[in-house]
Amino acid sequence: MTPEEHKQLIQMSDRLEQLNVTRIQALIQLATFRNQPLTDLMQTLGCLRVLPSMIISS
């Protein structure tokens, strides 16, 4: 990888991280508006996959 390609990769990675922050902030606002836990909202919207190992049984 050339230095220019490395620089571009870092810029793209930083941009992706910022977009993810913006997305999570919007999801938090929507969850608050709906009075719904964030993880429930994300699961409803298909943003969160629940793995069997994540399920807590009582």
Side-chain angles (χ1 to χ4, degrees):
M1 181 179 296
T2 67
E4 184 58 36
E5 290 171 332
H6 186 255
K7 180 182 174 183
Q8 188 177 22
L9 176 62
I10 291 172
Q11 289 172 341
M12 289 171 34
S13 177
D14 290 346
R15 179 68 178 137
L16 180 59
E17 185 175 349
Q18 183 56 49
L19 288 171
N20 279 327
V21 168
T22 301
R23 180 178 65 91
I24 292 297
Q25 289 171 334
L27 286 169
I28 290 169
Q29 287 179 341
L30 182 58
T32 301
F33 177 76
R34 290 184 172 189
N35 195 30
Q36 183 178 20
L38 178 60
T39 52
D40 290 354
L41 174 68
M42 291 177 71
Q43 191 171 1
T44 299
L45 296 175
C47 301
L48 177 69
R49 293 186 191 168
V50 176
L51 302 174
S53 61
M54 296 171 66
I55 299 172
I56 300 171
S57 58
S58 50

